[in-house]
Amino acid sequence: MATSADAPLSKTGLYDFHVSNGAKMVPFAGYSMPLSYGSVGAVASHHHVRNSVGLFDVGHMVQSNFRGPTATAFLEWLTPSSLRSLAPYSSTLSVLLNERGGIIDDTVITKHADDAFYVVTNAGRRDRDLAWFKQKLDEWNAGEKARAEGKVEHEVLQDWGLLALQGPKAAQYLQELTSFDLRGLTFGKSAFVPIKGFNLHVARGGYTGEDGFETVEVAQLLSKSPVQLTGLGARDSLRLEAGMCLYGQDLDEDTTPVEAGLTWVIGKDRRETGDFIGAEGVRKHLKEGPPRRRVGLTVDGAPARQGAKIFAPSGGEQIGTVTSGIPSPSLGKNIAMAYVQSGWHKKGTAVEVDVRNRLRSAVLTPMPFVPTRYYRGS
């Protein structure tokens, strides 16, 4: 979201809840969001989520419903995903692409029925995404298919809450609050679940790499021990350890899903003949190989941050750039995500990274850096 330096920050519905729980609030994507709580630092919060369970407010994200007889076809035009074959109450990561095949935003799409989808997009791309949705929806609804089979409506769910309960103890904690058997809700599935008098839309997923649930409403109910309120600081380190992208750092409109290592979101049945926006640019990279690729790095000595340049060994040419980097709390190593020229992207390749004007040795490392623990059934 493009905002001027003096523009007022938006607040999620939990702003007062955060402040009353000692949150340090910071600007993020046009919102005032919790960085941490009380005296609990980001590293301690990170470890708590890895070992127990944490609760994140992600209510700043944009939630939408798309409904109508041609909703599936419309969203398959907007994205390269195979939504036709997606089972009801299943979710998939996807991408909105521009005409060149660059990523406008990454998104999670949940199919409720063939004519009804719930879509979550990033707060920082709110203006761009909503304008894109309107432009393309107007084009679609004026087209032959919509005129013949029915139009699509877009509803933005303004002021809806969205929470993420994440960690290895998330399921055990949530199960104590509901009669719904969560063992039947595997990774990527969702359901409407009765929880203490509320009927909540619960999706099993996790941007942290841990098993978890993203639930609408009820922060008070979900924030009892052992759940720990968790802010943006820990969320960033958790997602990077899990090898997940942050839009604006690791993804942008000049990056295709093939370059980003997200080829898997492109439906196999759509790679050759799928009629989606940006298909030509995507197919070019699929057939010829992309000019650069997203990779993981472990860096010696000091953490490489966003913008750090990557060089061939022994002072060779620049071959890439770091997009995200941290000291990993779980591994005790410096890890980073980067883009490097194709040919330099193989795991185990030695490179050098310029960290504060000093070349540091680094090795290309497979992602995720920390194994994910998503629940896929017993």
Side-chain angles (χ1 to χ4, degrees):
M1 177 186 294
T3 55
S4 64
D6 57 354
L9 294 173
S10 299
K11 298 175 181 179
T12 72
L14 293 176
Y15 177 85
D16 291 339
F17 173 81
H18 297 314
V19 172
S20 67
N21 280 279
K24 178 183 179 183
M25 306 301 288
V26 297
F28 181 78
Y31 278 76
S32 180
M33 296 294 291
L35 179 69
S36 58
Y37 293 84
S39 60
V40 181
V43 171
S45 290
H46 177 111
H47 288 308
H48 189 84
V49 174
R50 281 276 178 257
N51 296 307
S52 185
V53 54
L55 184 68
F56 302 84
D57 178 12
V58 287
H60 61 306
M61 301 185 79
V62 184
Q63 301 174 71
S64 295
N65 282 328
F66 289 88
R67 298 190 187 93
T70 57
T72 299
F74 171 68
L75 289 173
E76 282 197 338
W77 179 53
L78 228 56
T79 77
S81 296
S82 295
L83 302 176
R84 214 169 293 272
S85 58
L86 194 66
Y89 288 92
S90 296
S91 303
T92 183
L93 178 70
S94 190
V95 285
L96 303 173
L97 299 179
N98 61 28
E99 303 289 356
R100 305 186 313 276
I103 299 172
I104 294 174
D105 202 0
D106 56 325
T107 176
V108 175
I109 300 175
T110 301
K111 182 179 186 176
H112 287 165
D114 287 336
D115 62 353
F117 292 83
Y118 167 67
V119 177
V120 178
T121 50
N122 285 303
R125 300 295 283 168
R126 177 184 295 267
D127 292 346
R128 174 68 166 114
D129 291 346
L130 293 182
W132 184 253
F133 286 150
K134 183 180 187 311
Q135 176 190 341
K136 295 304 170 185
L137 201 59
D138 288 346
E139 290 179 28
W140 180 265
N141 284 335
E144 184 178 332
K145 188 175 182 67
R147 287 200 306 269
E149 300 178 29
K151 296 182 178 182
V152 178
E153 295 179 347
H154 175 214
E155 176 192 15
V156 180
L157 303 176
Q158 298 286 9
D159 301 322
W160 276 44
L162 187 63
L163 296 168
L165 187 71
Q166 299 279 292
K169 295 183 180 178
Q172 176 185 339
Y173 180 80
L174 195 59
Q175 188 65 79
E176 294 172 357
L177 302 176
T178 182
S179 58
F180 185 98
D181 188 353
L182 295 174
R183 290 174 299 180
L185 200 63
T186 53
F187 180 76
K189 301 295 184 183
S190 65
F192 282 92
V193 175
I195 298 177
K196 297 291 186 180
F198 295 92
N199 191 37
L200 305 182
H201 182 255
V202 177
R204 197 159 199 161
Y207 187 57
T208 62
E210 294 296 335
D211 184 27
F213 303 86
E214 304 207 347
T215 64
V216 180
E217 297 177 61
V218 211
Q220 289 281 12
L221 183 64
L222 296 177
S223 57
K224 312 295 185 190
S225 178
V227 178
Q228 188 177 89
L229 297 174
T230 315
L232 294 171
R235 192 165 176 81
D236 190 55
S237 56
L238 288 160
R239 70 91 190 168
L240 186 49
E241 288 186 347
M244 294 184 178
C245 299
L246 177 64
Y247 195 93
Q249 288 188 200
D250 312 304
L251 303 173
D252 58 36
E253 292 208 38
D254 295 317
T255 302
T256 72
V258 184
E259 291 176 305
L262 297 175
T263 300
W264 63 271
V265 308
I266 307 167
K268 291 181 181 179
D269 59 322
R270 313 200 67 213
R271 296 180 189 184
E272 293 291 333
T273 58
D275 180 20
F276 58 89
I277 296 169
E280 184 179 345
V282 168
R283 288 199 184 104
K284 178 178 173 64
H285 282 182
L286 283 172
K287 291 175 182 176
E288 301 174 7
R292 61 189 185 127
R293 297 175 188 263
R294 182 171 64 93
V295 298
L297 292 171
T298 53
V299 184
D300 291 345
R305 304 294 187 178
Q306 181 185 15
K309 296 177 180 178
I310 303 169
F311 296 90
S314 303
E317 63 173 337
Q318 183 180 348
I319 56 170
T321 306
V322 169
T323 53
S324 293
I326 56 163
S328 164
S330 300
L331 301 175
K333 300 176 182 177
N334 300 313
I335 61 173
M337 195 180 290
Y339 283 86
V340 298
Q341 295 174 16
S342 287
W344 287 94
H345 63 281
K346 302 290 193 302
K347 66 179 181 181
T349 299
V351 296
E352 293 181 328
V353 184
D354 185 347
V355 182
R356 295 193 292 274
N357 298 317
R358 178 178 173 184
L359 290 178
R360 305 276 186 175
S361 297
V363 176
L364 269 66
T365 305
M367 294 184 288
F369 297 99
V370 174
T372 56
R373 293 189 281 192
Y374 301 132
Y375 175 74
R376 302 185 187 275
S378 53

